[in-house]
């Protein structure tokens, strides 16, 4: 809204200004009062600070190189030269892929700086071929330590070649030709593999292997067995105190000691009539071990459980094996019983077997 004065009031204001114009203080005060006007909130000036504050990218920690340079300057040991950097030309010389994207001026400088026929490798270090040629020349005067340096050079080259061949291998490469038991399918001991397969149920081989590992660990950590002189192990030359140190050999001795030498087969009508004759049949090594393992597993399954868990049956089998080693298992009686029947029926061997 615009304020308009009447002509009479406009004349009076001019008279007042003309009368007060002669006195400077009154004139100045009135002019200042008339010049003042109301200032809105948007037009208020912001407060000014004497020292401006730090921005988000200011007062940061110095770089590691700068700290090292400052520390070296204080201690007097010297530090990295912060002012000296890597020229862009050297970076472009190392990075061939970025040379095409460089400015044309730099590309021309790089072409001029690398003359044609210049070598791309360093010749500061002597080559082995040059050293060998110098070594073969008898007329050349060499220092006394030249032979030592030459031998050290050859040893260093041989070591680097061996490291390059065996690079990426924790252990040494196997010698050729490979032994017959190095195949993946034959990496386990035969008796361990047979015991595992006989212990497997429902085709769960991994579970049987886990149980076999528990059994071998129990044999390894068990106390040395107290051998019964009436039921000794098959190999008496090996000391019993060292058996737990070799669990596979320990398992082999236990199974072979209790394994029967024969089996009894009943055959009807062998002697005429309907009478069945018992005929002893000799067994091979795998058959003997299979029968012994089946006896041990049968005796272990009849044992009372000692707790619960996945390793319960494996622990019972390990306890039965330790009982066999000390002559306290009932498997020995089954072996003795079969041998007695075989000795008593040895006269039936003359009959034809199927």
């Amino acid at each position: 809204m615009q304020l308009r004065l009447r002509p009479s009031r406009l004349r009076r204001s001019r008279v007042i200004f003309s009368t007060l114009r002669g006195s400077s203080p009154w004139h100045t005060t009135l002019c200042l009062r008339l010049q003042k006007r109301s200032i809105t909130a948007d037009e208020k000036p912001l407060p000014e600070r004497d020292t401006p504050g730090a921005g988000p990218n200011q007062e940061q920690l110095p770089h590691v190189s700068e700290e090292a340079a400052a520390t070296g300057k204080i201690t007097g040991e010297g530090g990295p030269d912060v002012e000296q950097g890597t020229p862009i030309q050297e970076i472009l010389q190392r990075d061939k892929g970025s040379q095409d994207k460089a400015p044309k001026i730099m590309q021309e400088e790089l072409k001029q700086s690398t003359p044609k026929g210049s070598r791309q490798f360093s010749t500061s270090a002597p080559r082995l071929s040059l050293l060998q040629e110098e070594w073969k020349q008898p007329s050349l005067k060499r220092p006394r330590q030249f032979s030592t340096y030459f031998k050290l050079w050859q040893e260093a080259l041989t070591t680097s070649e061996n490291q390059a061949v065996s690079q990426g291998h924790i252990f040494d490469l196997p010698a050729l030709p490979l032994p017959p038991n190095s195949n993946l399918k034959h990496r386990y001991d035969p008796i361990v593999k047979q015991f595992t397969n006989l212990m497997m149920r429902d085709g769960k081989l991994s579970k049987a292997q886990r149980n076999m590992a528990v059994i071998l660990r129990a044999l390894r950590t068990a106390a040395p067995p107290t051998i019964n002189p009436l039921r000794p192990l098959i190999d008496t030359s090996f000391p019993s105190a060292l058996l737990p140190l070799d669990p596979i050999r320990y398992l082999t001795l236990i199974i072979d000691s209790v394994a029967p030498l024969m089996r009894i087969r009943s055959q009807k009508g062998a002697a005429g009539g309907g009478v069945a004759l018992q005929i002893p049949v000799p067994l091979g090594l795998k058959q003997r071990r299979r029968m012994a393992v089946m006896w041990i597993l049968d005796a272990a399954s009849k044992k009372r459980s000692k707790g619960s868990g996945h390793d319960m049956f494996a622990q019972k089998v390990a306890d039965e094996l330790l009982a066999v080693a000390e002559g306290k298992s009932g498997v020995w009686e089954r072996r003795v019983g079969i041998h007695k029947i075989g000795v008593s029926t040895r006269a039936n061997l003359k009959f034809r077997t199927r």
Side-chain angles (χ1 to χ4, degrees):
M1 181 177 181
Q2 194 172 9
L3 182 62
R4 293 183 180 181
L5 297 176
R6 293 179 181 180
S8 59
R9 292 185 180 180
L10 184 60
R11 292 193 195 97
R12 291 177 185 175
S13 60
R14 289 177 180 175
V15 172
I16 293 171
F17 280 114
S18 60
T19 55
L20 296 176
R21 188 173 297 177
S23 58
S24 61
W26 290 97
H27 177 261
T28 307
T29 305
L30 184 59
C31 291
L32 291 174
R33 288 182 178 178
L34 290 175
Q35 288 178 0
K36 285 184 178 180
R37 60 186 181 87
S38 60
I39 300 174
T40 60
D42 298 337
E43 297 178 357
K44 287 183 179 180
L46 297 175
E48 298 181 358
R49 296 182 58 179
D50 298 337
T51 57
N57 296 330
Q58 297 176 356
E59 295 185 0
Q60 294 182 352
L61 294 176
H63 195 264
V64 180
S65 302
E66 297 176 356
E67 291 184 358
T71 306
K73 187 177 181 181
I74 294 171
T75 57
E77 297 178 357
D81 191 359
V82 183
E83 298 179 357
Q84 183 179 2
T86 305
I88 191 64
Q89 288 81 0
E90 295 183 6
I91 299 175
L92 290 176
Q93 285 180 359
R94 293 193 296 265
D95 191 2
K96 300 296 183 181
S98 60
Q99 291 183 3
D100 300 335
K101 302 178 182 179
K104 293 184 179 180
I105 300 175
M106 289 188 178
Q107 292 181 5
E108 294 177 358
E109 290 180 358
L110 290 174
K111 291 179 181 179
Q112 294 176 1
S113 61
T114 55
K116 296 182 179 180
S118 61
R119 294 182 177 179
Q120 300 295 333
F121 56 88
S122 174
T123 57
S124 60
R127 293 187 177 183
L128 180 61
S129 58
L130 298 177
L131 287 175
Q132 288 177 350
E133 292 178 1
E134 293 179 1
W135 179 259
K136 292 178 181 178
Q137 295 178 5
S139 60
L140 188 64
K141 294 183 179 180
R142 297 183 293 269
R144 296 180 179 179
Q145 297 180 351
F146 185 83
S147 59
T148 306
Y149 293 153
F150 182 72
K151 292 179 181 179
L152 291 176
W153 180 267
Q154 281 186 332
E155 291 177 1
L157 284 179
T158 307
T159 306
S160 61
E161 290 177 359
N162 295 335
Q163 290 178 356
V165 170
S166 62
Q167 187 176 5
H169 301 282
I170 300 178
F171 305 100
D172 296 335
L173 295 177
L176 298 177
L178 296 175
N181 59 349
S182 64
N183 194 303
L184 179 65
K185 298 182 179 180
H186 307 288
R187 63 186 183 277
Y188 298 119
D189 194 83
I191 195 167
V192 173
K193 183 178 179 181
Q194 187 178 8
F195 201 109
T196 305
N197 292 337
L198 292 174
M199 196 167 39
M200 179 175 57
R201 293 292 180 271
D202 301 329
K204 298 179 181 179
L205 181 60
S206 59
K207 184 177 180 180
Q209 290 176 346
R210 184 173 63 249
N211 291 337
M212 192 69 224
V214 173
I215 292 169
L216 293 176
R217 184 170 64 249
L219 294 178
R220 175 65 182 83
T221 57
T226 304
I227 305 298
N228 189 356
L230 299 178
R231 296 172 178 177
L233 296 178
I234 194 171
D235 189 5
T236 56
S237 61
F238 195 80
S240 60
L242 302 179
L243 285 175
L245 300 178
D246 192 356
I248 296 180
R249 182 168 185 169
Y250 196 3
L251 178 67
T252 306
L253 289 179
I254 291 173
I255 294 176
D256 288 347
S257 300
V258 79
L261 299 175
M262 65 192 76
R263 68 180 181 90
I264 305 301
R265 183 177 62 84
S266 297
Q267 183 175 349
K268 292 184 178 180
V275 181
L277 291 180
Q278 293 181 341
I279 303 174
V281 179
L283 299 176
L285 179 61
K286 293 187 67 176
Q287 294 174 332
R288 294 176 62 240
R289 289 178 174 177
R290 181 184 184 280
M291 190 170 290
V293 171
M294 296 303 295
W295 287 351
I296 292 172
L297 295 178
D298 187 21
S301 62
K302 295 178 182 179
K303 277 193 169 186
R304 187 176 180 179
S305 301
K306 297 180 181 179
S308 60
H310 297 290
D311 303 338
M312 182 179 59
F313 179 71
Q315 191 62 41
K316 291 196 296 184
V317 175
D319 294 342
E320 186 65 25
L321 288 171
L322 294 175
V324 171
E326 295 181 353
K328 301 177 181 179
S329 176
V331 180
W332 287 96
E333 298 177 358
R334 298 185 67 171
R335 177 178 182 271
V336 172
I338 284 185
H339 285 180
K340 284 184 178 179
I341 295 175
V343 171
S344 61
T345 59
R346 65 182 182 274
N348 298 334
L349 289 173
K350 61 182 179 180
F351 295 98
R352 183 176 62 85
T353 60
R354 297 178 185 177

